[in-house]
Amino acid sequence: MAVARKCVLMSDQKAKNFAHWAKLAQAELKDIPVETLNRDYGGIPVQPVYFGEGAEVPGAEPFTRGVRATMYANRPWTIRQYAGFSTARESNAFYRQALEKGQKGLSVAFDLATHRGYDSDHPRVVGDVGKAGVAIDSVEDMKILFDGIPLDKMSVSMTMNGAVIPVLAMFIVAAEEQGVSQAKLEGTIQNDVLKEFMVRNTYIYPPEPSMRIVGDIIAYTARHMPKFNSISISGYHMHEAGATAVQELAFTLADGMEYVRAAQARGLDIDKFAGRLSFFFGIGMNFFLEVSKLRAARQLWSEIMTGLGAKDPRSKMLRTHCQTSGVSLTEQDPHNNIVRTTIEALAATLGGTQSLHTNSFDEAIALPTEFSSRIARNTQLILQHESRITDVVDPLGGSYYVEALTAELVEGAKKLIGEAEAQGGMTKAVQSGGPKLEIEKAAALRQARVDRGEDVIVGVNRYRLDVEDAIEVRDIDNAKVRAEQIALLARVRASRDEAKCQSMLAALREFAAMDEGNLLDAAVAAARARATLGEISQAMEDVFGRHAAVTRVISGVYAQGYGDDPEFASIAGRIEAFKKSRGRAPSIFIAKMGQDGHDRGAKVIASAFADLGFLVHMGDLFETAGEVAAHADELKVDAVGVSSLAAGHKTLVPELVGALRDRELEDVTVIVGGVIPEQDYDFLLDCGVAAIFGPGTNVLSAAFSVLSQIEGRLSNR
């Protein structure tokens, strides 16, 4: 076989590596000669791959240098933008437009009501329907979502964990009614529930029945859906919650081990299902660390799968989707986010991802507009077509720095994985709360560094604009969307064979109670009979129960990041003076209303305020406005702090203010923090909110403002 031109004479090891690579590459290229991958840069010959004296080859175990020999030199990564909002019809129009403009795969974002297994007419989801994703109540919604999109030709990723059984069942039935068999379906269902108990909190059932669901889906897809990835094991949400790179690596891969063992416990051959496992990582701003993280992940997974009994090299490949960081986006000077996303996208691609989502620059403010979505999508298109990074496989391989970082990450992750294994695996570790606590500590320390200015965020804690330009944002009419969904739900229930539907739900309930049979099998039958998402979820909840997390607030970590800082000491001194004059500490209740489980911001605020001297009460997740008001009344707090990241603030906050008023608690200070478009500020202030804190707010400044608000209201009594 002819080989590609070389710029320098190769050593024996380099020549051996190149020959090994050329053989693997030719197998991937089939009838296309390897030499076609050569490039010429104005008289400079460029090979598709380069080697040092090390023995690692792209496409060969342990896959540190990539899961395919040719990587992007033959085929670039898949542009897979995560999107979904409002109704299925509006999301469908958005998808079709994106596909026409260069997007290659679909990634569906569901609203929080869907995630948590509630139909749109449920009283607990009034503010959540259609706000942070698309509302799916029945097969009819799923059919509309993919109308005109051929599911035998389109790869579809669905980020779903809590209501994973009904969502996947409805996807299967919608495809059937489009004329597409299960065997032809390509895509991924996230189905990664363990991380939900650590960070994202869109769980429904307790850990053990949740793990049963994971295993049932792996078994079902292995039998009926050979092209479909049964699980996407996610580190992304850990990254967003504040995990370090080592924590993200270790906990994600340890979760993966747990899922493999769950499938093996069902008698499945590891080499029969392992090739349908995939991963999902977040990519932040530490460029070389993020590149190295993906390389370390592949190496570690290869070793782990070998240890679990995998023989087929394809079973040991870590295939991953990546998403640029949401937590790195800033509300302040938001056009800087375009640069941040570009840097993160470059790290993901140089790290060897198989598909990528790039965030829109306005996502720290609201749902992305068509304008911002186009820039995000074009960021990837420019990297693919203009940057020439696709010409060479693993171009950073052999970098002294990258290789050293990769080795350090491998070593650190192995230590944490070992600690989880010593507890009996990640299910046990998650139940102990240890990983969740460690991630929260890391988040608090990071926030302290940002607030102190040690970690520079351009436009936030340095180089601030004097005046911020207004940004056009997408606004979803929650009431209108919910009314439309309720109307469609009513039509579905009125037109179905009710007896047949209830019979299928009873069978599902029986399967769950007997701990036998496959839950997805039974759910597909129920979905065909037009059982709704909420009804299918409730049938299993009747047996499994609904999980309620124990809320804990860490202490001392945020303060540790400040030491003897004078600004910290000044605010702590003001609070101490408050205690002396009032005979008590200023008190605040931190609330998460609606079905938004993202609690990083709430936890950081709770920890920091407690360290400053506030008496902090942390509410449970998923509470209603009435429940929060009842807590405020019982605890006699000075303030209620509402954390909102899922666009439900215009519905839920006025409800809370009204509920406090009904209890004659008008003197309680209401503050709101999170992803709040500036255009909504006046609306919230007019409702009675005292202060609003967006992403990037300095926590000490927030504490000063809240204390001033409390003191002002108390002095007016």
Side-chain angles (χ1 to χ4, degrees):
M1 175 189 294
V3 296
R5 287 183 295 163
K6 293 168 275 294
C7 304
V8 296
L9 291 174
M10 285 190 179
S11 68
D12 288 346
Q13 182 61 57
K14 289 180 183 178
K16 184 178 178 182
N17 287 343
F18 193 89
H20 185 192
W21 172 84
K23 185 177 180 180
L24 294 171
Q26 191 61 72
E28 291 178 4
L29 294 168
K30 298 180 180 175
D31 296 331
I32 301 170
V34 173
E35 292 75 22
T36 60
L37 301 181
N38 295 341
R39 299 289 182 264
D40 186 282
Y41 291 176
I44 299 173
V46 176
Q47 299 167 219
V49 67
Y50 288 83
F51 295 99
E53 296 299 332
E56 291 191 359
V57 174
E61 297 179 52
F63 307 106
T64 311
R65 301 199 65 191
V67 294
R68 291 189 293 119
T70 56
M71 289 298 290
Y72 311 143
N74 177 38
R75 188 178 68 200
W77 65 91
T78 300
I79 300 171
R80 192 187 298 277
Q81 293 296 91
Y82 179 59
F85 56 89
S86 185
T87 63
R89 196 170 305 283
E90 288 196 45
S91 293
N92 172 264
F94 185 88
Y95 294 159
R96 293 169 73 165
Q97 184 181 61
L99 292 170
E100 288 170 3
K101 294 181 177 180
Q103 187 169 312
K104 299 301 184 185
L106 293 179
S107 182
V108 182
F110 298 96
D111 73 356
L112 289 167
T114 304
H115 273 288
R116 293 272 293 150
Y118 294 116
D119 288 332
S120 296
D121 58 357
H122 197 283
R124 299 196 76 86
V125 300
V126 172
D128 297 303
V129 177
K131 292 296 281 187
V134 61
I136 298 294
D137 292 315
S138 73
V139 169
E140 297 305 316
D141 287 320
M142 197 70 80
K143 288 169 69 176
I144 293 168
L145 187 65
F146 296 110
D147 182 43
I149 299 171
L151 293 176
D152 55 344
K153 297 181 176 66
M154 181 59 59
S155 173
V156 177
S157 172
M158 293 179 285
T159 301
M160 179 52 62
N161 301 284
V164 63
I165 287 283
V167 164
L168 187 52
M170 289 173 184
F171 176 71
I172 290 167
V173 176
E176 287 176 351
E177 297 185 9
Q178 197 185 86
V180 179
S181 70
Q182 297 181 35
K184 293 180 179 178
L185 292 173
E186 294 187 44
T188 303
I189 190 79
Q190 191 160 94
N191 192 30
D192 174 15
V193 76
L194 285 176
K195 68 97 174 42
E196 299 293 331
F197 296 108
M198 283 188 274
V199 289
R200 192 164 174 254
N201 300 308
T202 57
Y203 44 71
I204 299 176
Y205 316 109
E208 290 186 358
S210 295
M211 285 297 295
R212 176 186 169 188
I213 287 169
V214 171
D216 277 5
I217 289 172
I218 293 173
Y220 184 98
T221 53
R223 189 165 69 250
H224 300 292
M225 303 165 72
K227 297 181 178 181
F228 199 85
N229 295 327
S230 57
I231 191 167
S232 174
I233 306 153
S234 174
Y236 177 82
H237 300 97
M238 300 180 203
H239 172 96
E240 293 294 277
T244 65
V246 170
Q247 289 171 338
E248 182 185 356
L249 260 181
F251 297 150
T252 303
L253 297 179
D255 283 350
M257 293 170 67
E258 199 82 341
Y259 298 136
V260 170
R261 287 169 177 155
Q264 288 177 313
R266 282 161 170 76
L268 296 176
D269 181 343
I270 191 170
D271 286 319
K272 297 293 186 186
F273 69 82
R276 305 319 310 173
L277 305 178
S278 65
F279 286 81
F280 176 26
F281 288 102
I283 304 296
M285 285 295 289
N286 192 330
F287 182 83
F288 290 104
L289 186 68
E290 298 298 336
V291 171
S292 303
K293 182 175 75 182
L294 297 184
R295 303 176 88 250
R298 290 192 293 271
Q299 180 180 326
L300 283 162
W301 188 244
S302 178
E303 294 176 11
I304 286 168
M305 291 300 280
T306 300
L308 291 171
K311 300 291 191 296
D312 189 334
R314 292 172 297 181
S315 300
K316 306 175 188 181
M317 295 178 180
L318 183 144
R319 304 166 182 84
T320 191
H321 173 71
C322 289
Q323 180 172 337
T324 59
S325 175
V327 76
S328 70
L329 303 178
T330 65
E331 178 190 41
Q332 301 85 353
D333 205 357
H335 289 106
N336 290 340
N337 295 333
I338 298 171
V339 181
R340 294 184 179 104
T341 293
T342 303
I343 292 168
E344 292 166 351
L346 186 60
T349 52
L350 292 180
T353 190
Q354 277 64 68
S355 64
L356 178 63
H357 167 96
T358 36
N359 288 328
S360 300
F361 71 85
D362 51 0
E363 287 187 53
I365 304 168
L367 290 168
T369 63
E370 289 184 13
F371 172 71
S372 66
S373 297
R374 176 172 62 85
I375 292 174
R377 182 173 57 251
N378 286 355
T379 299
Q380 295 195 55
L381 290 169
I382 290 166
L383 285 176
Q384 285 189 354
H385 295 287
E386 299 184 36
S387 72
R388 307 306 296 265
I389 63 170
T390 60
D391 289 353
V392 177
V393 178
D394 188 33
L396 294 181
S399 156
Y400 296 121
Y401 182 37
V402 169
E403 297 295 349
L405 281 175
T406 302
E408 289 286 343
L409 286 164
V410 167
E411 184 179 344
K414 280 183 175 178
K415 182 181 177 186
L416 284 187
I417 291 170
E419 291 174 2
E421 288 290 280
Q423 293 186 60
M426 272 306 279
T427 302
K428 292 285 195 297
V430 165
Q431 289 173 323
S432 76
K436 183 179 182 71
L437 191 63
E438 291 305 309
I439 291 171
E440 289 173 1
K441 287 179 180 177
L445 283 171
R446 161 70 172 165
Q447 187 63 51
R449 291 196 304 272
V450 171
D451 288 347
R452 290 193 68 177
E454 293 177 9
D455 290 1
V456 176
I457 311 295
V458 175
V460 175
N461 61 5
R462 201 175 297 183
Y463 314 113
R464 285 289 300 264
L465 291 175
D466 294 329
V467 179
E468 296 275 354
D469 294 331
I471 298 287
E472 179 191 353
V473 298
R474 185 188 296 275
D475 187 35
I476 303 294
D477 187 339
N478 166 235
K480 180 174 178 287
V481 173
R482 188 165 184 261
E484 288 180 20
Q485 288 298 122
I486 290 173
L488 181 55
L489 263 172
R491 290 198 296 273
V492 168
R493 289 175 178 145
S495 62
R496 71 191 181 185
D497 183 332
E498 190 63 29
K500 184 178 180 182
C501 178
Q502 294 304 323
S503 174
M504 295 300 100
L505 288 170
L508 173 60
R509 201 174 289 111
E510 187 176 344
F511 272 29
M514 293 191 304
D515 197 23
E516 61 182 51
N518 190 291
L519 292 168
L520 183 54
D521 249 329
V524 167
R528 289 189 185 115
R530 291 313 191 259
T532 68
L533 176 133
E535 291 167 339
I536 294 172
S537 295
Q538 185 62 52
M540 292 185 290
E541 185 179 337
D542 290 342
V543 178
F544 300 147
R546 184 172 281 265
H547 180 71
V550 177
T551 303
R552 294 188 294 181
V553 177
I554 59 171
S555 61
V557 176
Y558 185 85
Q560 176 188 330
Y562 268 88
D564 57 358
D565 182 88
E567 187 180 3
F568 185 96
S570 173
I571 296 173
R574 275 195 63 194
I575 292 171
E576 191 60 35
F578 181 103
K579 290 179 182 177
K580 288 180 179 177
S581 66
R582 300 279 177 178
R584 62 175 182 83
S587 59
I588 185 168
F589 184 86
I590 306 293
K592 288 291 298 182
M593 295 190 294
Q595 299 305 305
D596 172 27
H598 293 88
D599 60 353
R600 170 182 174 156
K603 288 290 184 67
V604 167
I605 289 292
S607 174
F609 275 43
D611 285 356
L612 285 163
F614 278 86
L615 176 61
V616 177
H617 304 276
M618 188 83 191
D620 294 329
L621 292 168
F622 317 121
E623 292 196 310
T624 65
E627 289 166 344
V628 172
H631 292 312
D633 195 1
E634 179 186 357
L635 297 166
K636 307 301 180 194
V637 295
D638 297 303
V640 174
V642 178
S643 172
S644 176
L645 285 88
H649 52 273
K650 290 178 73 173
T651 301
L652 297 170
V653 173
E655 282 188 4
L656 172 62
V657 172
L660 290 170
R661 188 183 302 114
D662 291 344
R663 291 176 173 269
E664 299 182 353
L665 297 174
E666 290 92 343
D667 287 341
V668 172
T669 300
V670 178
I671 60 171
V672 181
V675 179
I676 313 286
E678 192 170 350
Q679 66 187 39
D680 293 347
Y681 280 21
D682 286 345
F683 172 84
L684 293 175
L685 294 170
D686 290 343
C687 286
V689 171
I692 303 163
F693 306 111
T697 298
N698 182 290
V699 175
L700 293 187
S701 298
F704 183 90
S705 174
V706 172
L707 183 62
S708 298
Q709 290 282 350
I710 291 172
E711 288 177 329
R713 294 203 174 203
L714 289 175
S715 66
N716 291 329
R717 285 181 180 174

